Amino acid sequence: MQHQLLAGKNGIIFGVLNEQSIAWAVAQQAKAAGAQLILTNTAAATKMGTVRQLADSIGAGFCIADATNTDDLEALYDYCVAQLGGKVDFILHAIAMSPNMRKKRAYDDLNYPDLIRTIDISALSFHRIMQVAVKKDVLNRYASLLAITFMASVRTFPDYGDMAQAKSVLESIARSFGYRLGKTHAARVNTICQGPTPSTAAKGVPGFDQLSHFSDIMSPLGNPSVEECAAYIITLFSDYTRKVTMQCLYHDGGFSAMGMSDEVTGLLAARE
């Protein structure tokens, strides 16, 4: 059932790649909820994905921009205000990439310039998005800004590599900027910790299938889907969550609160 929770609101979605990405599902549901949208990604990602086709299919604007480049962000915001006819009410940061992981570098054999690049792309870009938005004065009062994270920021997942550090920085940025934007714009800044869902980004993590299976049988509600994550994000962009800020919000079927489940106990017993 669709509700017009975002009617009259303008939003920007960073990181849309293809139909398996969380950002893609968010774009579809935000449009159905009444929002005007601008979709954006880098030139390289645009060539690899199908974001232009999505923008055309839902009637959204599209602008190539690298979130690690201040000039690109300034041009993007100018385009958004002109295209949308006003300032922005919500922004989704769905950007993550590790050169070390792509090169299959072990955690104890990292290339440090690539580690810095991982943090720049996956975390500092969120700070830059907000900093430039404030300087360009493109945020409406009560705006909602959200980034997607993973619990590797606070727990160890051996195959998650240097992305764990990037997610820790990302969450810290959300808290620090959340305070400032709350004071100046009555805006909120949060991160959403999605469970191991087979999105485009997650499938690039080694051992993902095993982790997804484990979390599914550990979670009382099971793993959330990409579409369920998008639906939760829509509520965080709506006026119903104006006092939720500086939080890391878990959307994982209860996985993060579990110690052991009957299903896992049964599997272990069967192996004895």
Side-chain angles (χ1 to χ4, degrees):
M1 182 181 296
Q2 291 293 340
H3 303 279
Q4 295 291 295
L5 291 181
L6 304 184
K9 294 188 181 296
N10 299 328
I12 305 174
I13 299 180
F14 287 84
V16 179
L17 184 62
N18 57 38
E19 60 273 12
Q20 293 179 320
S21 62
I22 292 174
W24 179 289
V26 173
Q28 290 180 316
Q29 294 192 31
K31 188 66 177 180
Q36 291 193 99
L37 296 175
I38 302 296
L39 311 184
T40 181
N41 211 325
T42 63
T46 300
K47 291 179 181 178
M48 292 188 298
T50 52
V51 59
R52 288 184 186 273
Q53 291 90 320
L54 173 63
D56 291 340
S57 70
I58 65 174
F62 173 74
C63 182
I64 290 176
D66 182 348
T68 68
N69 185 295
T70 299
D71 291 340
D72 276 15
L73 288 174
E74 290 178 346
L76 170 66
Y77 289 140
D78 287 340
Y79 170 82
C80 289
V81 172
Q83 185 80 5
L84 299 173
K87 296 183 181 182
V88 175
D89 299 290
F90 63 86
I91 293 175
L92 175 66
H93 176 284
I95 304 169
M97 196 278 284
S98 165
N100 277 306
M101 290 181 70
R102 287 192 173 185
K103 297 172 184 177
K104 304 186 185 304
R105 297 291 294 259
Y107 186 75
D108 55 1
D109 186 34
L110 293 179
N111 174 279
Y112 290 117
D114 280 345
L115 168 60
I116 293 171
R117 184 68 174 147
T118 296
I119 295 173
D120 188 30
I121 294 170
S122 307
L124 299 186
S125 59
F126 192 39
H127 188 286
R128 191 176 284 105
I129 284 168
M130 291 186 282
Q131 179 169 290
V132 177
V134 170
K135 290 184 176 180
K136 295 286 288 184
D137 189 26
V138 300
L139 295 178
N140 274 325
R141 189 167 178 81
Y142 304 116
S144 177
L145 301 99
L146 182 69
I148 297 173
T149 187
F150 184 59
M151 69 174 69
S153 61
V154 294
R155 297 188 183 183
T156 299
F157 292 81
D159 292 325
Y160 205 65
D162 58 357
M163 278 298 301
Q165 277 67 64
K167 294 302 188 184
S168 295
V169 174
L170 180 71
E171 293 170 20
S172 178
I173 287 170
R175 290 188 294 271
S176 296
F177 234 124
Y179 170 78
R180 289 160 175 80
L181 284 178
K183 289 288 190 179
T184 60
H185 292 72
R188 59 230 196 245
V189 184
N190 294 289
T191 55
I192 180 169
C193 184
Q194 175 71 353
T197 303
S199 63
T200 305
K203 286 185 175 180
V205 178
F208 171 79
D209 289 342
Q210 292 79 8
L211 173 60
S212 180
H213 176 63
F214 175 70
S215 67
D216 194 45
I217 61 176
M218 278 286 289
S219 307
L221 298 180
N223 284 341
S225 68
V226 166
E227 289 73 24
E228 288 170 328
C229 180
Y232 184 39
I233 287 172
I234 297 304
T235 70
L236 295 171
F237 288 155
S238 77
D239 291 336
Y240 289 104
T241 52
R242 281 188 175 180
K243 292 298 173 68
V244 180
T245 194
M246 300 164 64
Q247 302 299 310
C248 179
L249 302 164
Y250 283 84
H251 185 257
D252 60 5
F255 177 54
S256 55
M258 291 296 296
M260 181 60 74
S261 71
D262 291 337
E263 292 81 357
V264 173
T265 300
L267 287 173
L268 294 174
R271 294 179 60 184
E272 294 179 353

